[in-house]
């Protein structure tokens, strides 16, 4: 009789361990699938917004000779080259009202624009335009080529949540 009870207890322990192990594997599997799908969706959204920002900035803007008070769309080009006056105004706009700039660029995500060569805004060399990423999550980077002071440079746009 003693042998039967020990065997039954061991079998019961094995069943409980199997159930816990199976539940753990199923939970891990479901969590991994959802995490990958959510990350892919976020990366697609950030990439879409980054391309919109790049495409918007590499136009003349609306109106063509926009100012901080008249801007509808803040393009920084004139005659297919980066216009210094528009860079100055865009830099000031971003410094004075970052959230308004996000609305004008049609994004809800944070952004930072920097260039492969030194550029100036209001007579001073600047590191970039926007907010530099700190503790960012899901950062993407978009690169575009532009002309500044008759030299080609790369405009880099980082977008993150």
């Amino acid at each position: 009789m003693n042998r039967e009870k020990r065997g039954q207890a061991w079998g019961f322990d094995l069943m409980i361990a199997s159930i816990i192990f199976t539940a753990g594997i199923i939970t891990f599997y479901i969590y991994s699938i959802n995490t990958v799908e959510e990350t892919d969706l976020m990366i697609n959204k950030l990439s879409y917004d980054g391309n919109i920002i790049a495409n918007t900035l590499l136009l003349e803007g609306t109106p063509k000779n926009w100012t901080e008070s008249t801007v509808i769309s803040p393009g920084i080009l004139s005659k297919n080259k980066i216009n210094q006056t528009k860079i100055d105004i865009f830099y000031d706009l971003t410094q004075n009202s970052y959230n308004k700039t996000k609305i004008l660029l049609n994004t809800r995500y944070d952004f930072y624009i920097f260039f492969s060569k030194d550029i100036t805004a209001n007579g001073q060399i600047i590191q970039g335009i926007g907010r530099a990423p700190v503790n960012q999550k899901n950062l993407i980077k978009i690169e575009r080529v532009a002309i500044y002071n008759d030299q080609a440079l790369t405009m880099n746009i980082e977008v993150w949540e």
Side-chain angles (χ1 to χ4, degrees):
M1 190 102 163
N2 271 344
R3 285 184 160 182
E4 289 179 14
K5 287 185 180 180
R6 278 191 277 158
Q8 288 174 351
W10 184 81
F12 184 70
D13 287 349
L14 184 60
M15 285 183 355
I16 295 297
S18 297
I19 290 170
I20 292 172
F21 180 75
T22 304
I25 293 294
I26 290 171
T27 303
F28 175 75
Y29 181 71
I30 290 171
Y31 178 74
S32 357
I33 289 174
N34 289 339
T35 302
V36 170
E37 288 175 359
E38 289 171 10
T39 301
D40 286 349
L41 181 62
M42 180 53 62
I43 296 298
N44 287 339
K45 287 179 180 180
L46 291 170
S47 180
Y48 179 79
D49 275 26
N51 282 310
I52 295 241
I53 292 169
N55 294 340
T56 300
L57 289 175
L58 292 177
L59 294 172
E60 289 193 353
T62 306
K64 267 188 177 182
N65 294 317
W66 56 272
T67 64
E68 195 169 333
S69 59
T70 64
V71 65
I72 296 170
S73 179
I76 59 171
L77 296 186
S78 290
K79 299 180 183 175
N80 296 321
K81 296 179 181 179
I82 294 177
N83 180 306
Q84 186 61 55
T85 303
K86 290 181 180 182
I87 283 286
D88 294 343
I89 296 169
F90 182 65
Y91 180 77
D92 288 342
L93 178 65
T94 305
Q95 293 294 319
N96 297 333
S97 183
Y98 178 74
N99 288 327
K100 179 181 178 183
T101 308
K102 284 173 54 173
I103 292 167
L104 291 170
L105 292 173
N106 199 24
T107 186
R108 63 186 185 110
Y109 301 110
D110 288 314
F111 67 91
Y112 184 66
I113 302 159
F114 60 98
F115 300 87
S116 61
K117 297 181 180 177
D118 288 341
I119 66 161
T120 60
N122 302 318
Q124 295 182 355
I125 295 174
I126 59 171
Q127 298 297 314
I129 301 172
R131 287 195 179 147
V134 177
N135 298 326
Q136 71 279 359
K137 184 177 176 186
N138 294 327
L139 180 136
I140 61 107
K141 181 178 174 183
I142 306 290
E143 294 182 349
R144 295 288 193 271
V145 176
I147 305 291
Y148 180 70
N149 290 338
D150 295 323
Q151 294 182 352
L153 57 71
T154 304
M155 180 176 79
N156 303 286
I157 301 158
E158 294 180 339
V159 182
W160 70 95
E161 62 174 328

